[in-house]
Amino acid sequence: MVFRKLPGVSASGMGLRLSQKFVFLLFLSGLVTLCFGALFFLPDTMRLKRIFLSKNENPAVTVGSDNVLSKKVPGDPEHQRAGLKGGEGATVKLKVSRKPSVTHGARTVERSVGSRAQDEWSPAKAHEPAARDERVTSAAQNGQRGSAYSYETFKKCLLKPPLGKNKGTPSDSETLQRREKVKEMMKFAWDNYKRYAWGKNELRPLTKNGHIGNMFGGLRGASIVDSLDTLYIMGLMEEYEEAKEWIQDNLDLNSNGEASLFEVNIRYVGGLLSAYYLTGAEIFKQKVLELGEKLLPAFNTPTGIPRGVINLGSGTSWSWGWASAGSSILAEFGTLHLEFVHLSELSRNPLFTEKARVVSVPLIYSERTGHGLGMNRVILCFSLGDEHPKAAEQNREASRSVSQLPESRQRNKIEKPHGLYPNFLSPVSGNWVQHHVSIGGLGDSFYEYLIKSFLMSDKMDQEAQKMYYSAMEAIEANLVQKSPGGLTYVAEWRGGILDHKMGHLACFSGGMIGIGADDGPAEQKQHYLDLAAEITHTCHESYSRSATKLGPEAFRFDAGAEATATRLSDRYYILRPEVIESYMYMWRLTHDPKYREWGWEAVEALEKHCRVEAGFSGIRDVYASTVSHDNMQQSFFLSETLKYLYLLFSNDDLLPLDDWVFNTEAHPLPVIRKRCLQEHGNTQDDGQTNLE
């Protein structure tokens, strides 16, 4: 073959040009690879990153500051309960947060995030949960986990009718009259929501329009879902049917927005679950199982501890921007268990329970294990419970494995300061991020769900029982204080320094300690009842010492103040239920008439200061004689505040505590009596669970 020689081009010159081309192409491919890889270092909030990352990739996020933070949740122009029972309404900046909804500061000693767990975690394992998640729908729909759930069998395992013998109607006329007043308040609030905000999430009663917000990920009708069980137990059947019809025809779960895992769980999942258990309407079961599956990708983290925000469409999750070092919040990841256990009951699929239980593993076993213990086996033990023979054997095996570990591996992986649980935990390393402890905002419902998990398990969940009473012991030793005036309160703990304030959200603890009094040490029963009564009394004082007879968002016990707000930013009231919640529980436990009297005082104050022409509104200053309204009728006012008032003025057989446990949004969920359900063939065979 003869090559024609081109003019002016030698063979050696042609070789040089080919080399140049090769080097250029190599450089270009390297540059493209580098640019694409840089996407993984962008903040999770970047739209570009969300386009390129698939829904099952949930990178760790380190965002936010732990100093002065706004009360607003990123992206939501309104004050909200964001993450933890906050509220949507006023806009106030605070330096210290109570719940992500209200303010999210943390002036605490920050602990560096440990790297050992992250180093030992294999990236390949990060995608294993995603594969499991994809099987949830098919397993549930195809009945691979057993026979369909029987509502009729469930009813046979209740000790009493849910609505009592006569719908809880009290015998004395005064109490009946007060109950009817609460019912009228509910109808008034509902009618105005329907008139001015139907299908929106909440009502703005002053401007007479609806509010959507962004903490529900594009979901609508929060007030409708939150109101279902309240309407039903009050006998407002026409209104209940309206709500049911809207859910059947208009509740679209195919949203693509950024949602608070916590808020969607307690309001939507909790509301739909309770509506199903009270009525047996299949539409509620169908909707709640569909929604529950959309929340599962939030758990796809190295530790299994979910992040606080999830895109319901893509499944991408990330941490709140205000959460220090991309941490998850104790009261968020600790407030899933009640609802997720019931999702497993209805779907016949244990994955929901497994996901919720994995959250407890580093907390329960932190005092006994280091890295490397078979985590899957431990999760299985908790998901089954000690009453199951297979689980009991595996629990013993896990304990033997722990005892064989070197002493250095048995040290507390995430040491709890003085036995207390800090509010921030890294979902990547499993280590505490800050030493800020509170039973108010950021921490509250974690403790609530410990005792309620025990009660809802028909008192079979011994780990939850142990964790609750150990936590109570630490809280009493470190946080419970007595003021110079004799008021008992629960302070906050910031890196070893007490902050002598108590939030309105912490006032739920009177009821919590009360319902837990029976199942601790026998000699402590009366002590816990007394402590519950003292805390409830203190919270009542925070109401009675204001001009409006409504309580502030937070009150202090320093600089001569007792049970009063000393800061302007703490003076607002957004229709919160926690104080009334404790009244209801303490009435049921003691039948002391003062609790009904205190409840009626709250009704009168709500009517006088919060009722406006088109609904109910929070107020900006409880100490002002002339109130200023915040223009927001919170959905939890319908779900919690009015429900607890109605129950306070009803007989105890309306939603009896022997059969029902209320989630943190006051949605009643039934006690799961596994033995009874198994006898009737209506519970999943936990022995089928295999996580190894």
Side-chain angles (χ1 to χ4, degrees), residues 407-588:
E407 183 178 352
S408 61
R409 298 284 296 281
Q410 297 184 42
R411 289 198 300 267
N412 197 341
K413 172 187 169 187
I414 45 171
E415 293 183 13
K416 299 189 292 293
H418 302 284
L420 299 167
Y421 290 93
N423 293 335
F424 297 93
L425 185 71
S426 168
V428 175
S429 69
N431 290 330
W432 303 118
V433 177
Q434 292 185 353
H435 282 185
H436 171 210
V437 179
S438 167
I439 68 160
L442 305 176
D444 52 2
S445 47
F446 166 75
Y447 304 99
E448 175 188 0
Y449 272 40
L450 289 180
I451 186 60
K452 289 183 176 180
S453 292
F454 171 66
L455 296 174
M456 196 182 78
S457 72
D458 201 20
K459 303 186 178 181
M460 300 299 290
D461 189 342
Q462 296 178 359
E463 289 292 354
Q465 180 188 29
K466 177 181 176 182
M467 289 178 71
Y468 171 75
Y469 290 105
S470 295
M472 278 303 306
E473 194 174 315
I475 288 169
E476 277 206 80
N478 296 280
L479 303 183
V480 174
Q481 305 289 310
K482 184 83 74 173
S483 73
L487 296 178
T488 300
Y489 63 98
V490 187
E492 296 189 5
W493 193 85
R494 300 179 180 278
I497 300 173
L498 282 181
D499 184 6
H500 294 274
K501 92 166 187 184
M502 187 171 178
H504 195 291
L505 287 164
C507 284
F508 87 99
S509 60
M512 177 189 74
I513 295 170
I515 62 173
D518 269 349
D519 298 294
E523 66 277 8
Q524 290 282 83
K525 176 179 179 179
Q526 190 57 49
H527 166 72
Y528 281 134
L529 282 175
D530 292 342
L531 178 61
E534 290 171 12
I535 291 174
T536 304
H537 170 71
T538 297
C539 292
H540 173 255
E541 285 297 304
S542 75
Y543 275 51
S544 64
R545 298 184 186 198
S546 76
T548 59
K549 304 306 178 186
L550 294 168
E553 181 68 6
F555 44 94
R556 303 194 65 86
F557 298 86
D558 51 18
E562 291 209 0
T564 56
T566 59
R567 301 174 182 176
L568 289 175
S569 57
D570 288 336
R571 294 185 171 191
Y572 61 92
Y573 172 73
I574 57 172
L575 307 176
R576 286 204 186 276
E578 290 78 19
V579 175
I580 294 166
E581 175 182 354
S582 285
Y583 294 167
M584 189 279 290
Y585 280 118
M586 293 307 295
W587 162 256
R588 292 248 177 138

Side-chain angles (χ1 to χ4, degrees), residues 167 231-243 279:
K167 297 184 179 180
L231 294 169
Y232 186 78
I233 67 170
M234 288 186 178
L236 294 169
M237 298 311 294
E238 181 179 341
E239 291 78 6
Y240 161 76
E241 290 296 339
E242 293 170 348
T279 69

Side-chain angles (χ1 to χ4, degrees), residues 125-139:
K125 294 181 180 179
H127 300 284
E128 292 176 2
R132 296 181 60 82
D133 294 346
E134 293 168 0
R135 295 198 297 268
V136 176
T137 304
S138 60

Side-chain angles (χ1 to χ4, degrees), residues 101-127:
S101 58
V102 181
T103 53
H104 309 290
R107 295 179 302 157
T108 62
V109 178
E110 181 172 351
R111 184 177 177 182
S112 61
V113 178
S115 61
R116 183 177 176 189
Q118 187 175 5
D119 293 340
E120 294 186 2
W121 169 68
S122 168
K125 294 181 180 179
H127 300 284

